[in-house]
Amino acid sequence: MTTTLRPAAPQDIAELRQLYFEVYGHGYPVALGSDPTEMHRLITDPHSHWLTARRTDTGELAGSVVVQTDPGNRVGKLVGLAVHPRQRQCGLAGRLTGAVTADAFAAGTLDSIHTTVRMVTQAPQRVVARNGYRPLGLLPNAADVSGCETLALFACYADGVLERREPVTAVPRALLPLLEAAEESIGIPCTAVLPLTGADIAPLLPHPGGAPTADLSPGALLTAPVAARPTTRTPIEVITAPGFVRRRFRELFPDPAGAYSPLRTPNTVLTTPDGEFEIYADLDPAAGSCALVAVHPYPSAATRALDSLMTALTRAGADYVETLVPLSDTAALHAFLSAGFVPSAGYPAMRRVGDRFHDYVVLSRTDRQIDFRTTAVSPLIQPYLSAYLTAWTSTYLPQHEVVR
């Protein structure tokens, strides 16, 4: 069987929806495979790259893949890779992945492209790895597809990007297993990174009054709350009004440097009844997940509400919550680690500032039981699984309960 690759067109939408149904049934939690309005927006977006594969003999739609881009932040995301069940075992998934990745980088507006792949089998991990994507970690319970699933994070880089990383010399000790896994899996060096203890981090935390002690000017890398584990419950109101949230978010964060979260558009705001802070989030009840994007008026304002935040998000339908933090932001990392978030994945050279690139870390928390028994872990991902288990154990099991 031979296939022809070509850009998707609006007239393909009905066939594309059928393709995603054939592959995923009713369980596909991404709008580009089910929502005609969102599909039309992406197909006509000049910054998106959507390729389809059709059989040369019959014209039947055989596959699809998309790279969404954030040109302002020079980051892309590969999503929606699907091959019709009758067209598998012929290398089409790899061909689509390679073609759309090359197409996206050819525009010259991207420094990296990342993707998350399901781990029900090892095949998706091998497909992206063969096309230049490097494993960066795993996201336990990150998506509700056919049950609660763990995803693996991969990224592919433009030439010369990884060689211009801004070095980080010290991180909280809990980050070391993740960094060592990256060194083992893809050769990202961490031998020069020193672990920080609680005594080292204490001077970086806010004063008792809660006032920020870090640089909060536009362009500062601090993007998350900072403080110790909260001890009191805070009433949290969840406002899910996407249009209102987007408008207010743009008013409060007109400079993209003030709320760095590429390819994330907040649709929900979480706040206290007295308006002490507003946390902007991308909530996806269909996937059972949520990404924290930004905090107003300043990052440390929501420090003591992180546990209450998790409770509110769980009630709103998100069993998995993640946040993106600069590897250099020790205080922010400590705040989330203290609130039960676990280092799940790294993203070397994610953010470009001038001619240098800054590393980021994905911290995640799930209040649903994690079951790795049905997870197919390839050798590339195995170091990250070991690192996650080490970090989770040190977070949630007292030392006297751990038997070696």
Side-chain angles (χ1 to χ4, degrees), residues 283-318:
L283 175 65
D284 187 352
S289 66
C290 180
L292 306 182
V293 175
V295 183
H296 177 78
Y298 50 82
S300 62
T303 290
R304 304 184 186 283
L306 290 177
D307 273 0
S308 300
L309 173 74
M310 285 298 302
T311 300
L313 287 172
T314 299
R315 291 172 179 166

Side-chain angles (χ1 to χ4, degrees), residues 216-220 222-223 249 252-260 293-295 299 351:
L216 299 179
S217 59
L222 181 60
T223 60
F249 179 75
L252 297 176
F253 299 94
D255 183 353
Y260 180 74
V293 175
V295 183
R351 185 180 188 181

Side-chain angles (χ1 to χ4, degrees), residues 1-6 19 51-56 60-65 81-100 127 130-131:
M1 181 203 73
T2 59
T3 55
T4 301
L5 305 188
R6 69 184 190 193
L19 171 67
L51 289 184
T52 62
R54 290 188 177 274
R55 290 187 53 162
T56 305
E60 178 186 1
L61 186 65
S64 171
V65 68
L81 177 61
V83 174
H84 196 282
R86 292 195 298 269
Q87 318 301 333
R88 291 174 182 168
Q89 310 302 323
C90 61
L92 183 55
R95 188 178 167 209
L96 278 165
T97 299
V100 78
V127 165
R130 284 198 296 264
N131 283 280

